[in-house]
């Protein structure tokens, strides 16, 4: 794991919500293949009451990540800066 | 007693490649958590394992998307989902006379609820003429439901021909093209299949036969022509998604996958499919065809033995049915087990319609079914054993 995956205070993050935990590994794979650092984390309670996971990425990667996921045909429920 | 010859691969394959057992042990020992039910790293890893199983299945059948693979315990449940989920009173469905009861029994139950069922007759060898299927289509035909490979005599049904015919459905036609449901229990992993090129809309598979996974794994691949609003789930319940809502999710695969999945089983299934892909389905097919022809020819050469089906390995799977004159199939099965260490299945094989088609109802047959791990030596040993029994019986 690299230091920027640890969520240190210096890096600003965004989370991408997908439909379910079944979709998360697909999204993770697509992002990794595109060279975008991501980590699957529990969905923050204030974003959803869901028990599932979401993808945390660097805020700087947000636009590229969304393009990659669209191309990989991963449906997205929302993007939030955290 | 000589070594065990396992010729019951059409019921379930044995032995399994060691990788399958290792993957299952690894899941139980190291992964462990419930996939998709939490966000901790063990649950996330379990979710990846399940997704890898979807990817393996999608690759093998060329499914449009891994998330279109819906897992369940076996082919039976997958067929029930497709049939009971899509067919409504007044709908018409076309099927064949070579079906397994996993197809026939749900269809007969639906018939009592007002679904119209046409059973297209196959030849005495068990072959289906695709033009007979086309001729059976009516304005209210919503589905064509076919077994890809007979579990009784191994004959291959022309699902790709039917699929291509349906893909050429005229655009301005009065009614929409029927969906094609294929029961690939006997062929998945043993016969090359391409869901998109073959025009298969719904593909039911089981993990424990020619995919070399464990029992308790299987599923339905849902093609892009299938409207989810039309396909009712068989079960509803916890999916780990949309937990705030009391209604079932309406997206794939969660809509059709309630309850904790078979994590260790799916880990084993992935290993089984990866093993099949490494060998190559085409290479497995070529090898099994050679062994099957050797078996057919060997058995046919024995006086008093009748072999059923097309007798041509190119037109069937590695399943061969036969009888010895004057001997009950059950008697043959018992003597092969006790005297020769040979495991096979006798009787009607859950497919009374298929036995009626080949005129072996209600007595049934002795069935030898080979797998990718059988050898020419196994075949020769089996032929020799049957020859000895036949000599004694004549
Ligand atoms: C043609 C066919 N369809 C369906 C099935 C059902 O498979 P399962 O018992 O895994 O549900 C079988 C095997 O038993 C079969 O041979």
């Amino acid at each position: 794991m690299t230091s920027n995956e640890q969520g240190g205070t210096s890096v600003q993050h965004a989370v991408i919500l997908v439909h379910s935990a079944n979709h998360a590994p697909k999204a993770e794979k697509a992002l990794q293949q595109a060279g975008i650092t991501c980590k699957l984390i529990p969905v923050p309670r204030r974003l959803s009451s869901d028990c599932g996971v979401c993808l945390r990425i660097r805020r700087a990667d947000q636009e590229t990540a969304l393009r990659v996921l669209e191309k990989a045909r991963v449906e997205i429920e929302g993007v939030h800066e955290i | 007693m000589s070594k065990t010859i396992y010729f019951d691969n059409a019921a379930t394959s044995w032995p399994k490649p060691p990788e399958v057992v290792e993957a299952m042990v690894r899941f139980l020992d190291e992964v462990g958590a419930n996939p998709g039910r939490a966000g901790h790293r063990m649950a996330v890893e379990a979710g990846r394992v399940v997704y890898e199983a979807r990817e393996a299945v999608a690759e093998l059948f060329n499914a449009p998307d891994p998330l279109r693979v819906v897992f369940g315990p076996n082919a039976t449940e997958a067929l029930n989902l497709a049939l009971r989920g899509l067919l409504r009173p007044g709908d018409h469905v076309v099927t064949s006379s070579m079906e397994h009861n996993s197809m026939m029994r749900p269809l007969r139950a639906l018939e009592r609820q007002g679904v119209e069922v046409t059973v297209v007759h196959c030849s005495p060898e068990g072959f289906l003429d695709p033009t007979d299927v086309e001729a059976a289509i009516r304005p209210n035909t919503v589905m064509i439901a076919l077994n890809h490979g007979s579990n009784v005599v191994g004959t291959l049904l022309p699902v790709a021909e039917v699929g291509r015919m349906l893909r050429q459905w005229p655009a301005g036609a009065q009614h929409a093209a029927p969906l094609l449901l294929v029961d690939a229990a006997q062929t998945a992993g043993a016969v090359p299949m391409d869901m998109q090129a073959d025009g298969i809309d719904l593909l039911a598979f089981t993990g424990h036969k020619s995919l070399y996974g464990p029992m308790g794994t299987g599923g339905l691949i849902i093609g892009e022509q299938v409207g989810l609003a039309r396909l009712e789930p068989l079960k509803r319940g916890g999916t780990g998604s949309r937990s705030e809502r009391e209604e079932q999710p309406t997206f794939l695969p969660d809509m059709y996958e309630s309850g904790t999945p078979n994590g260790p089983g799916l880990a084993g299934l992935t290993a089984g499919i990866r093993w099949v892909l490494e060998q190559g389905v085409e290479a497995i097919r070529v090898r099994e065809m050679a062994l099957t022809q050797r078996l057919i020819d060997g058995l046919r050469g024995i006086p008093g033995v009748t072999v059923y089906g097309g007798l041509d390995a190119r037109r069937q799977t590695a399943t061969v049915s036969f009888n010895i004159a004057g001997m009950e199939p059950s008697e043959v099965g018992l003597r092969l087990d006790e005297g020769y260490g040979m495991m096979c299945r006798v009787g009607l094989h859950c497919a009374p319609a298929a036995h009626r088609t080949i005129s072996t109802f209600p007595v049934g047959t002795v069935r030898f079914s080979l797998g990718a791990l059988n050898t020419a030596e196994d075949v020769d040993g089996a032929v020799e054993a049957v020859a000895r029994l036949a000599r004694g019986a004549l």
Side-chain angles (χ1 to χ4, degrees), chain B residues 280-338:
Chain B
V281 178
E282 193 64 56
I284 290 175
R285 173 82 183 125
V286 167
R287 239 191 114 249
E288 287 191 354
M289 271 198 294
L291 291 181
T292 305
Q293 197 63 54
R294 191 180 181 103
L295 179 61
I296 291 170
D297 295 344
L299 291 174
R300 285 183 74 200
I302 303 169
V305 169
T306 306
V307 184
Y308 302 96
L311 309 176
D312 179 356
R314 290 169 303 181
R315 301 181 70 193
Q316 68 172 78
T317 65
T319 288
V320 177
S321 255
F322 67 95
N323 270 318
I324 301 178
M327 226 180 187
E328 294 274 327
S330 54
E331 175 75 15
V332 177
L334 182 66
R335 292 224 212 156
L336 286 172
D337 181 355
E338 291 188 338

Side-chain angles (χ1 to χ4, degrees), chain B residues 102-142:
Chain B
S102 304
M103 184 80 90
M104 223 38 135
R105 286 180 173 170
L107 281 176
R108 291 304 182 201
L110 286 162
E111 197 172 30
R112 284 195 297 276
Q113 294 165 21
V115 172
E116 298 166 24
V117 179
T118 297
V119 179
V120 174
H121 282 281
C122 298
S123 74
E125 295 81 33
F127 292 113
L128 175 70
D129 184 341
T131 60
D132 289 347
V133 173
E134 196 169 1
I137 295 174
R138 305 176 190 163
N140 61 337
T141 307
V142 299

